[in-house]
Amino acid sequence: MGLEHVLNARSVAVVGASKVPTKRGYQTIRTLLDERYEGAIYPVNPKEPSIMGLKCYTAVSEIPGEVDVALIATPARTVPAVLEDCGKKGVKGAIILATGFGETGAKGKSLEGEVLKVAGRHHIRLIGPNTSGMINLKDNLNLVGLKNSPKGDIALLTQSGNMALTLITEAKLQSRKGFTYYVGVGNEADIRFHEYLEFFQQDPDTRAILMYVEGMREGRKFLQQAYKTTETKPIVLLKSGRSSTGKQSAGSHTGALAGMSEVAKGAFERAGIIVIENSDELFPAAESLSSLPPIKNNQIAILADGGGHATIAADTLTDLGVQIPQLDEKTQAKLRAILPGGASVRNPIDVAGGTDDNPAVFADCANLILGDPNVGGLLIVGLFGGYGIRFAESLALMEEDAAHQMGKMVASRKKAIVVHSLYNSEKPHSLDLLRYYGVPVYGSLDVACKCIGVLAQYGKYLKSYHAKSNFVIDWGAKAKPEGQQLIDGVYKSGRSALLEAEAKRLLRLHGAAVTADALATTADAAADAAAAMGGKVVLKIASPDILHKSDAKGVKLNLSGKDPVKKAFTEIIDNAKAYKADARIEGVLISPMVGKGIEVIIGTKIDDQFGPVIMYGLGGVMVEILKDVAFRVLPISRRSAQRMIAETKSHPILDGARGEKPYDKKALVSLLLVCSEIVEAYPQIQEMDLNPVIVHHEGLSIVDARILLKPVAGEEEAGPNA
C-alpha cells in the first residue's frame, strides 16, 4: 500500500485522547480543531463520553465512519492490541508515538517485531514508533500539536523531534519559506526513508526535501530512490553519528543501524544528495535550493562593498570547489562606467564606495554581472539592507527599489542571487522584499557562501546525471561457470574462505593480472616449482585456517636456489603448526617475486547500511597510519574508479615524482572494475582483500588475495540492504 491514505488522511482516530492539556492526546485534537482540519476527528478513550465537544469512542472498531489513520498515544505495551482493533476497522495507517521499542534493546526489539506482525497481517502502514508525529500542512492535518508551523514547499523528514522543532522555528523566524509535510520517521520500523522520497517526488507542491538522519534500515534502496528523486527535486541531508560517541547516541535514540559509515557521505553525494555537515547550514541550503535555479556552470561572481568580505567569500567558495571566473571584458567596461575609478571589476567586484550615496547601484551592477556569459550565479556580500540604517534613512527607499529589481532578475535571467547582509538581524524592509522574490538573505557569510555553493553543486550534479550509477546490482549476471564451481567447491569442503591460489584463480577468470603461482605439498616440489619460475620467489603458507600468514610466520621472501627453498618450506610448515596446531594445511604457495612499484590496497566488504562497497588506498603499513582511502558503493563505473583514485591524497605519486615515469593507472582502474564485477557476479562473497597490489610503470601485480564467503552456502543476498 502507498502512503497517500496515511500522509493525506481524510479521517483521524486519536487513540489515547485526553482532557489533560499536557498530553499528546489533548494537544493533537486541540491543534486539529484550531487549525480547522476539514477531515473527521474521532477521539478514542473508553473513560470519557466526549472531549472538546467531540464524541469519544471506546475503541477504534466502534467508530461508525471510515478511519484513514490512527494516532496511537498510548504506552508501548498497549500498541499490539490497539493495532489489532485498528485492523478490524480497516484502518490504513497508524502513527506510533511511544518509545520502548527497538531503540531500547532486545525486549523492545521483540515488541517492535510483534507490532510489525500485527500491522502486516492487517495491511496497516506504520510511522514510527518512537516518533514525534506527522504534519500535512497543506491540509492542516497536524498530528504533532506544533502550532503555527509555516507552510511552504519543503518536505521535512527527521529522526529527531528537537531537530524538527529547530528547523520549523528557524523557518518561521528567519525566512518566508515553510513546509508541505513534516514526518518524524522514528525507528523506521515499517515505512522506510526511500518510500517517503518516492511520495515527495510525486507531490506537486514539494520543491525540495530536507532530511536529518541518524540511521537507515535499507540504505541501498534509499540510494536507488534518491538517484531518481534528485533528477527533479533536490535533497538536503544532515547525517549524525560520525563520531563513536555520536554513534552510541544515535543507536540508543532510533534503534536503527546508526552512524556515519565511511561510505555514507560519498554514496549520498553520488546519488545527488546535498550533504550538510553543520546544522546551522541545513535549513538555509534547503531554502536556497527550493527557491532558486541551480547554477549550471559552477561559476559565481561576488559583488561586495568592501574588500574584506569579498576576499573571505572568495576563499570560502574556492574551498567549496566553486569557480570564480574573470568577467568578460565587455562586462568589466560597463561596470567601470558606473563605478568609481578605484573599483575592482574583475571578480570579486568591489564597488569601492560607489553605492554609498545610491545603493540602487547594486541592482545596476547585478544586472550587468548576471548578463555575463561566464557567470552562473551571484553572491552579494556586505552592507546591503543597512544603508538606510548606517548612513541616511532616505537611502532605505533606494535599497527597496534595488531589492525589487534584483528579485525580478532571478526570474528573468534564470540565475541565482544569494545575499549576505551585516544588517540581517535589523530586519530592514529591503531584505524582506528580497525574500519575497525568493532571494535568500543571511547574516552569516559562511552560510551565504554555503548556499550559493550548494546551488552550484546541485547544478553540477544535474549536468552529469547521465553518467551516474543507479546503485542497482545485477546479481550473477557476469558469473563464470568455472568461478561458480570454484565457490561451490569451497563450500562443499566445509570452508568459508578461499585459499590464496583459489582467490587468484577467480580473479584471473575475470581478467585480472595475478602472479603465476604453484602449490607445493613437499619441500622437493617447492624447490622444483621455484626453479621452473626462475629468479627469486616468495613462499607462503596455504591454509584455510590461517588467513593472516605473516602472524603465523608463514611467509618467506627473496628466495633462490634449491636448498634455501626447501629449508623455507620446512620452516613455514613448522611455524604454521606451532601457530595453530589443528590448522588444515594444504601446502605452501610458491610465487615469483614481483618488481618494484607502488603498493596499494583494494578491498570490498558488506556495509551495514548500503550493502557491497569497495575501498582503494595506499597500501602497506601506511594504510593504517594515513588512512588515505576512498570508498564507493558497488557497482562502480570506469569514471567512478578513476575518481576513487583521484580522491586519495597519495594519487600524485602514481603520476611519477621527481622525473620518474608515471605508474599504470589504467591497469589500476581495470582492476577496480574487475573487483566490482566479481562481487556482483557471486553474491556469496562477503569480503575481498587484495593487499598488496604492486602497480608498475606498465601493468600491476596482485601479490596477495583473500576472499571470504558468507557462512551459508548459496545465499542470494549481500547483506540486509542488497
Side-chain angles (χ1 to χ4, degrees):
M1 186 191 298
L3 306 186
E4 176 70 22
H5 290 291
V6 182
L7 299 182
N8 294 335
R10 300 303 177 201
S11 53
V12 179
V14 180
V15 183
S18 175
K19 290 184 175 181
V20 180
T22 57
K23 300 287 188 180
R24 281 294 299 273
Y26 174 93
Q27 295 166 359
T28 299
I29 296 173
R30 181 76 273 161
T31 305
L32 289 170
L33 292 172
D34 289 347
E35 296 186 356
R36 294 181 172 81
Y37 169 61
E38 294 184 358
I41 306 169
Y42 300 110
V44 177
N45 186 330
K47 297 179 181 179
E48 298 287 349
S50 66
I51 292 177
M52 285 175 262
L54 299 173
K55 180 182 177 180
C56 269
Y57 296 89
T58 58
V60 175
S61 57
E62 299 299 320
I63 296 171
E66 287 190 5
V67 178
D68 283 339
V69 70
L71 179 76
I72 303 177
T74 58
R77 67 180 183 278
T78 68
V79 173
V82 172
L83 285 174
E84 283 284 7
D85 187 57
C86 288
K88 295 177 185 177
K89 181 62 184 172
V91 173
K92 301 174 182 68
I95 301 168
I96 305 172
L97 302 179
T99 59
F101 291 92
E103 77 282 0
T104 61
K107 188 175 180 180
K109 287 179 181 177
S110 176
L111 179 58
E112 189 169 299
E114 184 181 352
V115 164
L116 285 172
K117 285 182 182 179
V118 175
R121 188 164 60 248
H122 294 291
H123 308 290
I124 302 170
R125 300 309 310 271
L126 304 178
I127 296 176
N130 186 18
T131 175
S132 58
M134 180 273 288
I135 307 175
N136 172 344
L137 288 106
K138 300 187 296 180
D139 296 332
N140 299 321
L141 174 59
N142 189 335
L143 301 181
V144 175
L146 184 60
K147 298 181 179 180
N148 302 317
S149 299
K151 298 181 180 182
D153 53 18
I154 301 171
L156 176 59
L157 281 172
T158 91
Q159 285 178 307
S160 165
N162 279 354
M163 278 298 298
L165 180 60
T166 298
L167 293 165
I168 291 170
T169 302
E170 187 175 350
K172 189 189 307 183
L173 297 179
Q174 299 182 21
S175 80
R176 281 178 166 260
K177 300 293 290 188
F179 303 93
T180 49
Y181 295 87
Y182 158 63
V183 179
V185 178
N187 286 12
E188 201 191 3
D190 174 36
I191 303 175
R192 305 295 166 89
F193 274 109
H194 64 272
E195 296 180 86
Y196 293 117
L197 286 193
E198 183 178 9
F199 177 87
F200 294 138
Q201 180 183 346
Q202 296 170 358
D203 178 53
D205 300 308
T206 296
R207 295 190 60 183
I209 301 165
L210 177 55
M211 301 181 63
Y212 170 76
V213 177
E214 292 177 349
M216 286 183 178
R217 294 181 182 268
E218 295 190 79
R220 183 170 288 270
K221 288 183 179 179
F222 173 77
L223 293 176
Q224 291 168 356
Q225 181 57 51
Y227 171 77
K228 300 173 185 176
T229 301
T230 53
E231 186 180 15
T232 56
K233 294 181 182 180
I235 301 171
V236 182
L237 181 149
L238 172 67
K239 190 176 190 304
S240 66
R242 294 194 300 272
S243 67
S244 58
T245 304
K247 284 186 179 183
Q248 292 170 4
S249 174
S252 63
H253 188 53
T254 66
L257 293 167
M260 177 67 118
S261 73
E262 301 93 339
V263 300
K265 185 173 185 292
F268 290 151
E269 290 179 347
R270 203 166 136 220
I273 296 168
I274 305 299
V275 179
I276 302 296
E277 297 186 358
N278 298 316
S279 59
D280 60 345
E281 296 172 347
L282 187 57
F283 178 79
E287 177 184 15
S288 300
L289 287 162
S290 67
S291 304
L292 297 170
I295 295 170
K296 299 177 181 178
N297 63 356
N298 196 39
Q299 298 191 141
I300 290 169
I302 301 169
L303 175 60
D305 50 16
H309 282 117
T311 303
I312 295 170
D315 289 343
T316 303
L317 289 173
T318 300
D319 290 342
L320 291 172
V322 178
Q323 297 174 9
I324 304 171
Q326 184 173 322
L327 297 183
D328 185 83
E329 286 293 341
K330 291 181 180 178
T331 306
Q332 292 188 44
K334 292 175 182 178
L335 287 170
R336 288 191 193 98
I338 63 174
L339 292 174
S344 172
V345 296
R346 293 169 58 87
N347 195 17
I349 301 97
D350 183 356
V351 299
T355 54
D356 285 359
D357 59 355
N358 183 10
V361 171
F362 271 108
D364 298 330
C365 292
N367 190 43
L368 294 173
I369 293 166
L370 291 179
D372 191 294
N374 297 326
V375 174
L378 174 63
L379 174 64
I380 298 175
V381 300
L383 299 176
F384 187 82
Y387 281 80
I389 299 169
R390 171 71 174 81
F391 298 113
E393 289 185 15
S394 60
L395 299 180
L397 292 175
M398 297 180 185
E399 288 183 292
E400 292 168 13
D401 180 59
H404 279 296
Q405 292 184 56
M406 290 190 292
K408 293 175 182 177
M409 278 178 213
V410 173
S412 62
R413 294 283 190 182
K414 293 182 172 56
K415 292 183 179 181
I417 297 176
V418 173
V419 175
H420 156 257
S421 174
L422 295 172
Y423 287 86
N424 184 52
S425 61
E426 300 287 339
K427 302 185 182 302
H429 186 52
S430 55
L431 300 186
D432 194 47
L433 285 172
L434 286 172
R435 293 189 178 97
Y436 169 80
Y437 286 105
V439 175
V441 182
Y442 309 105
S444 164
L445 182 56
D446 287 339
V447 170
C449 289
K450 181 66 175 181
C451 289
I452 198 88
V454 300
L455 290 165
Q457 180 184 343
Y458 186 53
K460 187 177 179 181
Y461 173 81
L462 292 176
K463 190 175 181 180
S464 61
Y465 182 83
H466 64 281
K468 305 291 180 180
S469 166
N470 62 6
F471 302 98
V472 175
I473 292 183
D474 190 2
W475 292 112
K478 296 182 180 180
K480 311 285 186 183
E482 187 178 340
Q484 191 58 61
Q485 290 170 10
L486 191 159
I487 289 174
D488 292 342
V490 172
Y491 276 128
K492 287 177 182 177
S493 69
R495 295 184 281 127
S496 60
L498 276 65
L499 297 171
E500 181 181 339
E502 294 169 330
K504 287 183 174 179
R505 181 148 60 96
L506 187 63
L507 286 158
R508 187 183 293 112
L509 282 172
H510 287 265
V514 296
T515 53
D517 303 336
L519 183 67
T521 56
T522 68
D524 288 333
D528 291 342
M533 290 178 186
K536 294 185 176 182
V537 296
V538 56
L539 272 63
K540 292 178 278 187
I541 189 68
S543 168
D545 301 315
I546 302 176
L547 296 179
H548 299 285
K549 306 175 186 70
S550 297
D551 292 348
K553 298 180 181 179
V555 181
K556 300 285 184 179
L557 305 172
N558 290 310
L559 299 170
S560 62
K562 184 176 182 179
D563 290 338
V565 170
K566 292 175 68 175
K567 180 182 178 183
F569 179 96
T570 301
E571 289 180 355
I572 285 175
I573 295 294
D574 290 344
N575 290 342
K577 290 179 178 178
Y579 177 75
K580 189 173 176 59
D582 60 346
R584 292 168 290 176
I585 297 175
E586 305 289 337
V588 173
L589 194 69
I590 296 89
S591 307
M593 287 291 294
V594 303
K596 291 183 178 181
I598 301 298
E599 190 173 325
V600 302
I601 180 173
I602 297 172
T604 71
K605 68 171 188 174
I606 306 299
D607 182 79
D608 287 340
Q609 299 186 64
F610 302 109
V613 301
I614 189 167
M615 179 200 74
Y616 159 80
L618 198 66
V621 296
M622 300 304 286
V623 72
E624 297 293 336
I625 297 171
L626 300 180
K627 293 181 170 43
D628 184 22
V629 295
F631 288 86
R632 286 292 186 279
V633 172
L634 292 174
I636 57 172
S637 64
R638 182 170 296 275
R639 182 170 178 267
S640 291
Q642 292 168 339
R643 289 176 67 87
M644 281 185 77
I645 297 169
E647 281 177 15
T648 59
K649 296 175 183 177
S650 57
H651 83 271
I653 297 173
L654 294 169
D655 295 325
R658 297 185 177 181
E660 191 175 5
K661 289 173 59 179
Y663 293 86
D664 197 341
K665 286 196 288 188
K666 287 186 178 179
L668 189 52
V669 167
S670 295
L671 180 56
L672 287 166
L673 292 173
V674 165
C675 291
S676 177
E677 179 180 298
I678 288 173
V679 172
E680 190 171 11
Y682 308 103
Q684 299 91 343
I685 292 177
Q686 178 76 26
E687 185 177 321
M688 178 161 51
D689 186 27
L690 311 186
N691 183 27
V693 175
I694 308 298
V695 186
H696 309 295
H697 296 303
E698 291 186 13
L700 53 76
S701 301
I702 301 170
V703 176
D704 199 359
R706 180 167 64 102
I707 295 177
L708 302 181
L709 304 179
K710 294 171 184 173
V712 180
E715 187 174 323
E716 292 298 322
E717 293 182 351
N721 302 301

